[in-house]
Amino acid sequence: MIAPQLDSADFRALVGHLEATIVALALAIVVWRVALAVVDRVFARRFISTHLPRVATFSTLSKSVVGLLVLVAGALALLNVWSVDVVPAVWSAGFITAALAFGSQNLVRDIVTGFFFLFEDQYDVGDRVELVTSGGQMVAGRVDAMGLRTTRIIDRQGRFVVVANGNIALVTNASRLPTTAGFALTVPWKGDALAMRQTVEAHARAIAADAGLADAQIRVSLVETTADNATFRIEMRTSDAEADLDRSDMRERIAAMLQREGWLPGGAEAG
């Protein structure tokens, strides 16, 4: 009685289903592990030179999405192996997903927009930014935290401002490039060119120190000479995104210093 049962078509079908299930599970595990390795490799290559603080969050999110896709695909494959009609389940899942998406459009929009903000590297934690919302309001400050749904800003008054990513229409990042200012200054000859350049540079550094930019890079060069005058080019460069380098103000302050030293009319010599 046992031998016929072992040779029956139902038993062979059961064994076939079990073998297919094992293969499907093994394949799903392999695909999942390979996908995780690919995600790690992609993020290592993409962010190795910048060490962005959001890499761990974004990598974890990507791994979760990959794991969910593999799980769904594996479940559908197993249902198909056991001859379960998955079409009604797929249609039901589609309707449920559409209903949820329709009921939470703003949430979905925030998450999708946040995903692209993270992926496109538009700004990072610590950057000084100006965000213009879809309603026309502007939020300026330093990025304190960023996620898929919201971005948190510390504004110039020290307040925490949370902006939904889906409401951000324009991003201005002032931290990606150094702040620079440059201008030319023409003065009469007062001694040798080297001593004059050093004097102008000392005044420029004093102005930078008064503005709280003691670490600014200052370069002074002699760009033009005549029989009576020398023209110097003053360039100031700082990585402080909050620095307000007003060229006119800097030129005026250096000119006032040179007037006090008698280099320009209206200063010590005129009094």
Side-chain angles (χ1 to χ4, degrees), residues 2-249:
I2 297 179
Q5 292 179 354
L6 294 177
D7 294 335
S8 66
D10 292 341
F11 182 77
R12 289 195 298 272
L14 178 61
V15 172
H17 290 332
L18 291 175
E19 292 176 349
T21 299
I22 294 174
V23 171
L25 290 175
L27 183 61
I29 293 174
V30 171
V31 171
W32 178 61
R33 297 298 297 271
V34 171
L36 294 185
V38 170
V39 170
D40 288 334
R41 190 174 184 86
V42 168
F43 278 95
R45 287 185 174 182
R46 174 68 177 84
F47 300 114
I48 191 171
S49 61
T50 54
H51 302 288
L52 300 179
R54 64 173 179 265
V55 171
T57 301
F58 200 24
S59 177
T60 302
L61 172 66
S62 300
K63 290 179 181 180
S64 300
V65 173
V66 169
L68 180 61
L69 293 177
V70 172
L71 178 63
V72 172
L76 292 177
L78 290 179
L79 291 175
N80 185 63
V81 166
W82 290 95
S83 301
V84 177
D85 189 5
V86 298
V87 174
V90 171
W91 277 102
S92 300
F95 282 118
I96 294 175
T97 303
L100 291 176
F102 182 79
S104 56
Q105 295 182 45
N106 292 336
L107 177 61
V108 174
R109 183 188 61 179
D110 293 341
I111 293 176
V112 172
T113 305
F115 178 87
F116 283 106
F117 280 156
L118 288 167
F119 184 78
E120 294 175 356
D121 192 18
Q122 296 189 21
Y123 55 85
D124 195 11
V125 174
D127 285 356
R128 173 66 60 175
V129 298
E130 291 182 356
L131 306 180
V132 179
T133 66
S134 55
Q137 297 178 332
M138 186 182 72
V139 179
R142 191 174 300 278
V143 179
D144 179 68
M146 56 185 305
L148 279 180
R149 195 177 68 84
T150 61
T151 296
R152 189 170 65 190
I153 304 292
I154 301 179
D155 67 8
R156 293 168 182 172
Q157 287 75 40
R159 301 172 299 184
F160 283 102
V161 182
V162 179
V163 183
N165 292 329
N167 291 333
I168 299 175
L170 178 65
V171 177
T172 302
N173 192 332
S175 299
R176 294 301 171 90
L177 294 176
T179 304
T180 60
F183 58 91
L185 182 68
T186 301
V187 296
W189 283 108
K190 295 290 183 179
D192 64 275
L194 178 59
M196 292 179 65
R197 184 186 63 79
Q198 291 175 345
T199 300
V200 173
E201 182 175 343
H203 290 326
R205 293 191 182 280
I207 293 173
D210 290 342
L213 304 173
D215 59 342
Q217 300 178 8
I218 298 175
R219 181 173 179 269
V220 179
S221 57
L222 180 63
V223 294
E224 186 178 352
T225 61
T226 64
D228 300 321
N229 300 317
T231 300
F232 293 93
R233 174 73 182 176
I234 300 102
E235 294 180 351
M236 185 178 297
R237 179 186 180 97
T238 177
S239 59
D240 188 352
E242 299 181 26
D244 184 12
L245 301 182
D246 188 329
R247 294 173 175 81
S248 300
D249 180 67

